[in-house]
Amino acid sequence: IAWRRQAITRLGEKFCQEYPEDDISAFLSSGSPYFSSASLRELLLDCKPPSIYAPWSTWRLPYLGGTYLIGADVGGGGTARDPEGVEESDRSAATVLDCTRGKNEFVASVSSVLPPDKFAGQLNDLGRAYNNAMLVIEKNSGFGQWVIDKLLEIGYPNIAMFQRHTGKWDYGWVTSAGNKPALLSEFHEALQGRIFTTWDQELINELLNIVNTKTPMGTHKIGAISGHDDLAMATMIAWFNRSLALSHTINLKPYNILERRTYARQSAY
């Protein structure tokens, strides 16, 4: 491990080209990974199994006075087959970020193939366990709205609200062409600066799987080359919105996502 750390520091991005560990590494070394492969490989060296596996993967238990935020990417649950007959699961995922005094540690995560109403129950239990953590739930699909509605029905006390372009406040995060570049750029910057901690190997593998590809039309598309990216998306959503958890403890007024987006774009360059 000591040799690998020194080699990563010395070679940077070239480390994965010189020493690919597996098929994905070999593919990425000749492709265009969006996030720094060297930085992710360094984080991978610190990965370890969770101390508790159920009902979610836990690396750090909640503590009194801790401030937490949970990002969630919601799928439909269950499994289906793609056009080639390969079975795929439509997963939901969530990650817990400890925002206390700038700790910036991802301390727990859950990946689930439960239907949205059951996943809402998981989020309710996870959020309440972590001091009624603020939930930032992506609602691009109808599944996310289903989860939000169920959580409101249950009476979960801390779901993030965002201001839409119409001026209306509404529950749930929407990833759009307007905010996705900032979402990606801010996480890329955090990764380069080593300003957050994770021990989750599944998360690192998903981040390694995200590449920048050129389409036949000449545009660029950023996404997973294969498999899942829901845990990665949940993590980036949590990271981008981490200041909500801190501001919420000071001012209960809903946070203005338009102001946040402007700041993120300015700070990402």
Side-chain angles (χ1 to χ4, degrees):
I1 291 178
W3 173 85
R4 285 178 58 81
R5 289 188 188 279
Q6 293 172 2
I8 288 172
T9 300
R10 185 178 74 255
L11 297 174
E13 296 297 323
K14 292 183 179 179
F15 178 83
C16 293
Q17 297 174 356
E18 298 292 334
Y19 305 102
E21 293 182 334
D22 47 41
D23 292 342
I24 290 178
S25 300
F27 176 85
L28 290 177
S29 67
S30 60
S32 181
Y34 182 78
F35 297 111
S36 166
S37 299
S39 297
L40 288 170
R41 292 297 183 190
E42 190 169 341
L43 283 175
L44 199 58
L45 294 176
D46 294 324
C47 287
K48 59 185 179 181
S51 55
I52 302 172
Y53 281 93
W56 45 77
S57 299
T58 303
W59 286 267
R60 292 281 190 272
L61 291 168
Y63 54 90
L64 186 65
T67 301
Y68 300 95
L69 183 141
I70 298 173
D73 182 26
V74 184
T79 59
R81 293 188 181 276
D82 68 10
E84 298 180 356
V86 178
E87 190 173 84
E88 294 182 333
S89 58
D90 190 10
R91 299 193 317 182
S92 297
T95 54
V96 183
L97 175 62
D98 184 353
C99 306
T100 312
R101 294 185 297 277
K103 276 195 168 186
N104 295 334
E105 293 179 345
F106 289 97
V107 295
S109 68
V110 59
S111 295
S112 173
V113 294
L114 291 175
D117 58 331
K118 301 298 184 183
F119 182 62
Q122 279 190 316
L123 282 180
N124 177 68
D125 294 342
L126 180 62
R128 290 184 187 275
Y130 280 89
N131 300 347
N132 289 326
M134 175 169 280
L135 300 182
V136 182
I137 302 167
E138 188 183 51
K139 56 181 287 184
N140 285 49
S141 69
F143 299 128
Q145 186 61 58
W146 188 358
V147 167
I148 291 169
D149 291 344
K150 188 65 177 178
L151 284 164
L152 291 171
E153 178 185 322
I154 294 170
Y156 190 80
N158 196 5
I159 305 174
M161 296 183 75
F162 299 91
Q163 190 175 35
R164 311 303 176 197
H165 67 278
T166 59
K168 177 186 175 183
W169 290 95
D170 194 15
Y171 291 106
W173 165 266
V174 177
T175 303
S176 67
N179 60 38
K180 191 172 183 179
L183 185 85
L184 291 163
S185 295
E186 188 161 321
F187 194 78
H188 185 277
E189 185 178 297
L191 181 62
Q192 292 282 74
R194 314 289 208 278
I195 59 176
F196 68 85
T197 301
T198 180
W199 302 275
D200 191 338
Q201 183 172 344
E202 184 179 3
L203 168 61
I204 300 300
N205 287 338
E206 286 194 14
L207 291 168
L208 281 167
N209 203 30
I210 295 175
V211 298
N212 186 353
T213 57
K214 193 172 184 178
T215 69
M217 299 296 293
T219 59
H220 287 268
K221 180 180 179 181
I222 299 170
I225 54 174
S226 63
H228 297 285
D229 66 354
D230 38 73
L231 198 58
M233 280 303 300
T235 300
M236 287 187 280
I237 289 169
W239 180 257
F240 187 71
N241 291 289
R242 64 195 182 280
S243 59
L244 272 70
L246 298 174
S247 63
H248 185 74
T249 60
I250 301 170
N251 183 357
L252 296 180
K253 180 182 177 182
Y255 193 78
N256 190 329
I257 187 57
L258 299 180
E259 294 175 358
R260 176 75 184 106
R261 183 195 307 165
T262 301
Y263 166 76
R265 281 180 170 173
Q266 290 173 346
S267 65
Y269 299 99

